[in-house]
Amino acid sequence: NFFERNGNTLCGITEEQIRLLSSISFEWNLKNNESWEVRYQELENYVQEFGNTRVPIKFAKYPSLGVWVSKQRVKYKKFQN
């Protein structure tokens, strides 16, 4: 593997770092599972307050929600194709 030979990684984490985190039972997929449900709840709250799902990318009350909504739309478009 090119990156292993050069001691570099394209994604910002080395195999050694992955090994160390894994050795202490690091939960790699936690963000995907829990944050989706958290963002969904925030979106429900947003809809109750504003009556739509057009969340601005930068929305102070829920800082991650606008980007999450945008990503859901991109994923939906990919799913449709």
Side-chain angles (χ1 to χ4, degrees), residues 20-70:
L20 288 169
L21 290 169
S22 293
S23 74
I24 59 169
S25 301
F26 187 80
E27 297 179 46
W28 294 101
N29 296 319
L30 183 62
K31 184 175 189 250
N32 291 335
N33 295 332
E34 289 186 5
S35 70
W36 193 95
E37 292 178 8
V38 169
R39 297 293 88 77
Y40 180 78
Q41 182 61 54
E42 290 174 354
L43 183 59
E44 284 186 323
N45 295 341
Y46 183 92
V47 170
Q48 287 177 356
E49 187 172 346
F50 296 99
N52 64 64
T53 61
R54 295 183 300 271
V55 183
I57 292 296
K58 294 184 178 184
F59 183 65
K61 188 172 182 179
Y62 304 117
S64 301
L65 184 59
V67 172
W68 182 83
V69 168
S70 178

Side-chain angles (χ1 to χ4, degrees), residues 12-24:
I13 190 168
T14 66
E15 286 187 22
E16 175 66 9
Q17 290 168 330
I18 293 170
R19 185 189 67 71
L20 288 169
L21 290 169
S22 293
S23 74
I24 59 169

